[in-house]
Amino acid sequence: MKRIMFSLLFCLFFVHSGFSQPSLSLDPAKSAWFRDARFGIFVHWGLYSMLEGSYNGHTLPDTTLPEGRSWYAEWVQMRLEVPAEEYRALARSFNPTDFDADAWIREVKNAGARYFVITSKHHDGFALWDSDVSDFDVMNTPFKRDILAELVAACKKHGVKYGFYYSHWQDWEHPQGALPYWKPKRPDKDFEKYWREKSLPQVKELLVKFDPDLLWFDTWDEVSHITDERRDELIALVRSVSPKCLINGRISYLNPGENIDFLEMHDNQYPASILSKPWQTPATMVRSWGWHAQDFNWKSIPQMTEYLVSNASKGGNYLLNIGPKPDGNFPVPAIRRLREIGAWLYANGEAVYGTSPVQITPEEGVIFTQKKTDDGARLYITLTAPKESVELPVEYGEVTGCAVLESGRPLEVKKSPGGIRIPLPDALFNDCSLQVICLRMKNTL
Ligand code: GLC
């Protein structure tokens, strides 16, 4: 209960006081690509994917087990109580023969995403790359291929930025890594061993071997082991090896400090107001992050597109997750969603990439983004529901033109008491995807 209250308070803090987040000493040029990108793809993949959310007759969520109530299939080891040796033995049959890094990154690219983040090591401690630090890695499986190396090559080939999720705090394989809150807490001096033996050396290894564009660390609203000193030590390590690598706020969720590059929201959390620092929402397509064969809770494409545009309108990014199957394939419903979001962005991406927020609260069913252009500015009005017209507090004399973004169909702009009114044709809402109106203006708002 305490945890829930704490997390509620924290969410309220972030959601309602957008401008009072910790100030970050950012180099705007360094994170400019991240701000402009707006859309990234996340992948959770590892040994847990092989269990598909079930173990020993139990399927997540399972309330008959004390901690079985979550959908998160990447937590299966802890939540469905898989004995450590049995979990470790999964490595002996990890062999995703259909894995094709190029095909994955082509999907990412076609989805219109500009960056790719994969779990290099999740809480289970298993490394998807050839690690010199730990032999609990992909090279000690029948597959014996460095998955990260192949993905990095594909990202470079397709011009997609890439980063790694690295569980720097929880590690259920190392005898001194952090454990879930319901397990006995490790003495801090034991954790220190894990920190020096595995966590820091593997982060360094990832930086040196793969030169990532970002690192995605993971803590949440629990305070243990990740002191400000350890947080700063890890940041210093990243900075000393890579001047370009961005660091997310979940390196220490409750206290990210001054020296991170972007804020990371809680899972599927969407702030209600504009945040002035770069930020992103890690989001699921279903309920689980890792592949869960019984999780059929697929979100709709308009809903996900709305999250993407709505985050952009508040200065943030959308990092949409896929949980690939144990054979190395993306699930079919995920592929369809990626392709349809990609098709939508093909037509409307201008309203998303490189846009900035607008300091006007839109009416219900409307999202604003904007951009400066050589000939003035563009205000993008994304409609999430059918409407007869939209009203805007914009001076009539500021408008230089108006059209539906996808088709170029011109729209009439009328002067109204509050500014302007744009009547909308019925045919605009013949399909269920979000429609975007592009208003050409002399200046940004
Ligand atoms: C949480 C979960 C984890 C997941 C992550 C994604 O921290 O522990 O399983 O990787 O959120 O945002």
Side-chain angles (χ1 to χ4, degrees):
M1 188 60 196
K2 234 171 97 193
R3 270 187 95 225
I4 297 173
M5 282 301 295
F6 202 36
S7 84
L8 255 173
L9 277 174
F10 189 63
C11 289
L12 284 175
F13 164 77
F14 260 138
V15 171
H16 294 294
S17 62
F19 293 101
S20 54
Q21 332 116 46
S23 74
L24 310 176
S25 57
L26 289 168
D27 171 0
K30 184 174 150 185
S31 52
W33 73 263
F34 179 83
R35 257 180 210 271
D36 289 349
R38 292 295 183 228
F39 185 33
I41 295 296
F42 206 1
V43 159
H44 277 66
W45 201 41
L47 297 182
Y48 45 81
S49 312
M50 299 167 73
L51 295 180
E52 311 192 312
S54 296
Y55 173 73
N56 199 22
H58 296 272
T59 292
L60 289 168
D62 183 329
T63 46
T64 66
L65 293 172
E67 295 298 338
R69 62 180 183 278
S70 163
W71 278 91
Y72 286 11
E74 69 284 0
W75 277 72
V76 65
Q77 177 187 355
M78 287 293 153
R79 296 212 173 264
L80 295 185
E81 299 172 0
V82 185
E85 325 73 65
E86 219 173 299
Y87 191 85
R88 208 186 157 94
L90 289 170
R92 294 210 287 270
S93 43
F94 182 77
N95 197 14
T97 45
D98 284 354
F99 171 67
D100 176 347
D102 202 73
W104 278 22
I105 303 304
R106 269 188 275 124
E107 290 294 350
V108 169
K109 182 118 186 168
N110 289 338
R114 300 273 165 100
Y115 59 106
F116 173 76
V117 183
I118 182 166
T119 48
S120 61
K121 182 202 86 167
H122 203 262
H123 308 333
D124 65 355
F126 179 74
L128 286 186
W129 77 99
D130 181 1
S131 176
D132 299 333
V133 176
S134 160
D135 60 10
F136 194 42
D137 73 350
V138 70
M139 300 319 271
N140 289 299
T141 69
F143 195 53
K144 275 197 182 40
R145 274 162 54 187
D146 187 324
I147 289 169
L148 297 194
E150 292 183 24
L151 286 165
V152 165
C155 285
K156 286 184 177 159
K157 174 176 158 197
H158 293 285
V160 171
K161 299 259 185 199
Y162 57 91
F164 304 125
Y165 171 110
Y166 182 84
S167 182
H168 64 311
W169 169 55
Q170 296 280 312
D171 190 304
W172 308 333
E173 180 262 346
H174 190 282
Q176 280 96 17
L179 292 172
Y181 69 90
W182 64 87
K183 299 275 180 194
K185 198 161 270 163
R186 306 237 189 254
D188 201 62
K189 63 169 183 2
D190 289 355
F191 180 83
E192 179 67 13
K193 250 189 127 228
Y194 155 74
W195 185 248
R196 307 247 154 252
E197 266 174 18
K198 188 170 179 184
S199 196
L200 295 177
Q202 280 197 328
V203 170
K204 184 160 184 194
E205 197 177 35
L206 286 170
L207 289 161
V208 171
K209 285 197 170 177
F210 303 118
D211 193 24
D213 296 297
L214 70 84
L215 281 174
W216 204 114
F217 295 111
D218 198 7
T219 60
W220 45 91
D221 32 16
E222 237 183 282
V223 185
S224 76
H225 306 307
I226 303 300
T227 55
D228 290 358
E229 292 69 36
R230 287 201 179 104
R231 176 201 66 198
D232 291 345
E233 184 180 12
L234 181 53
I235 294 176
L237 166 71
V238 178
R239 304 290 187 225
S240 71
V241 185
S242 169
K244 75 164 186 191
C245 183
L246 306 182
I247 298 174
N248 75 341
R250 264 158 77 166
I251 193 167
S252 179
Y253 184 64
L254 290 179
N255 196 14
E258 304 288 316
N259 203 11
I260 55 149
D261 299 290
F262 64 92
L263 292 167
E264 193 81 57
M265 296 299 113
H266 216 314
D267 305 356
N268 293 301
Q269 185 207 329
Y270 301 95
S273 54
I274 299 170
L275 307 188
S276 52
K277 313 297 182 206
W279 60 272
Q280 77 182 351
T281 298
T284 51
M285 282 202 197
V286 272
R287 301 232 170 112
S288 176
W289 300 89
W291 166 244
H292 186 320
Q294 308 299 318
D295 183 359
F296 301 112
N297 303 288
W298 294 94
K299 288 174 190 150
S300 77
I301 289 150
Q303 171 72 83
M304 292 188 288
T305 315
E306 182 174 338
Y307 284 138
L308 166 64
V309 186
S310 169
N311 275 12
S313 79
K314 298 180 184 94
N317 292 11
Y318 185 55
L319 181 67
L320 181 59
N321 182 72
I322 300 163
K325 293 168 57 166
D327 60 7
N329 287 302
F330 285 176
V332 168
I335 294 184
R336 180 170 75 84
R337 281 161 179 76
L338 289 183
R339 293 185 187 177
E340 291 198 21
I341 293 171
W344 187 87
L345 281 167
Y346 172 73
N348 298 294
E350 202 188 306
V352 174
Y353 306 120
T355 55
S356 340
V358 176
Q359 304 280 353
I360 298 176
T361 310
E363 58 187 90
E364 189 65 27
V366 172
I367 305 171
F368 294 142
T369 47
Q370 66 177 340
K371 190 179 277 175
K372 248 194 106 30
T373 52
D374 291 343
D375 61 348
R378 302 279 183 275
L379 174 69
Y380 302 100
I381 306 159
T382 301
L383 307 167
T384 61
K387 284 183 160 292
E388 280 178 13
S389 64
V390 250
E391 294 267 345
L392 295 170
V394 160
E395 260 182 62
Y396 183 76
E398 272 288 299
V399 177
T400 56
C402 187
V404 177
L405 184 59
E406 181 182 63
S407 62
R409 174 183 182 156
L411 295 176
E412 195 187 347
V413 177
K414 298 190 161 169
K415 216 169 170 168
S416 77
I420 58 166
R421 190 169 71 83
I422 310 167
L424 302 171
D426 288 347
L428 196 56
F429 304 104
N430 281 354
D431 73 49
C432 64
S433 59
L434 276 58
Q435 299 298 321
V436 183
I437 310 299
C438 175
L439 191 69
R440 286 193 294 282
M441 315 250 297
K442 291 183 184 153
N443 299 288
T444 48
L445 290 172

